[in-house]
Amino acid sequence: MSDLIERVVLLDERGDPCGVAPKDTVHNAHTALHLAFSCHVRDPRGRILLTRRALTKRTWAGTWTNAFCGHPQPFEPIPEAVERRARQELGLELRDLRLALPDFRYRAVDASGVVENEICPVYTAEAVGDLSLDPAEAMEAKWIEPARLAAALDAAPWAFSPWLVMQARNMSGAGGTITAAAWTARP
């Protein structure tokens, strides 16, 4: 991918592909709806990986978020894109990749005015190997117990990416309260 221009798949309001665009032109104050993915990664002990977005990121720079997110390339199956980005951003191989939220969709506006507008299937997986962060993507990483992460997201949602908070709430089940079940329940 490094020699190619990264592209995103543009979507119509129904979620059907309707075009492609270079990734570096898509995120702005009028971001078109596009396809993305998000992944929550646990270690063999069940701890959840949080990463702090690099300060050079276009949106939510320096913000703590889930393990990683990305965009599948045109015609690339999303699970393959998830595995590709895990290697690129974190130096990790994944096992037990599972689709947790197939229809997650959100729109959020960064303090700079840049908009995220995505249909973003959410996956969970287990890490294989040690972390090796790409500093252009993540400046820091921490493993945290699910109950502690749930409590932190509930107490200070503003300290995390909006999609992490929304995804955790949706993965926790009915009632809208974020719980450790977001990362410990199995389908």
Side-chain angles (χ1 to χ4, degrees), residues 32-139:
L33 182 63
H34 60 279
L35 184 60
F37 60 80
S38 190
C39 190
H40 296 253
V41 176
R42 68 189 174 282
D43 70 3
R45 293 174 40 196
R47 297 177 303 173
I48 306 304
L49 179 62
L50 288 181
T51 59
R52 187 169 173 216
R53 291 170 61 85
L55 293 177
T56 55
K57 296 295 278 183
R58 189 170 180 111
T59 59
W60 283 273
T63 300
W64 286 97
T65 193
N66 58 294
F68 66 98
C69 299
H71 302 88
Q73 296 301 290
F75 306 107
E76 181 182 29
I78 296 176
E80 289 179 20
V82 172
E83 292 174 350
R84 171 179 54 81
R85 289 305 289 179
R87 287 188 299 274
Q88 289 174 339
E89 291 190 26
L90 305 174
L92 286 178
E93 296 297 325
L94 302 175
R95 74 171 152 232
D96 196 24
L97 184 66
R98 295 176 187 233
L99 183 58
L101 297 174
D103 301 316
F104 182 73
R105 179 177 178 167
Y106 78 102
R107 184 180 186 282
V109 183
D110 182 76
S112 69
V114 176
V115 173
E116 286 285 4
N117 186 19
E118 299 177 337
I119 292 179
C120 183
V122 178
Y123 289 81
T124 62
E126 185 174 312
V128 177
D130 295 324
L131 287 171
S132 177
L133 301 180
D134 175 349
E137 298 293 337
M139 60 189 289

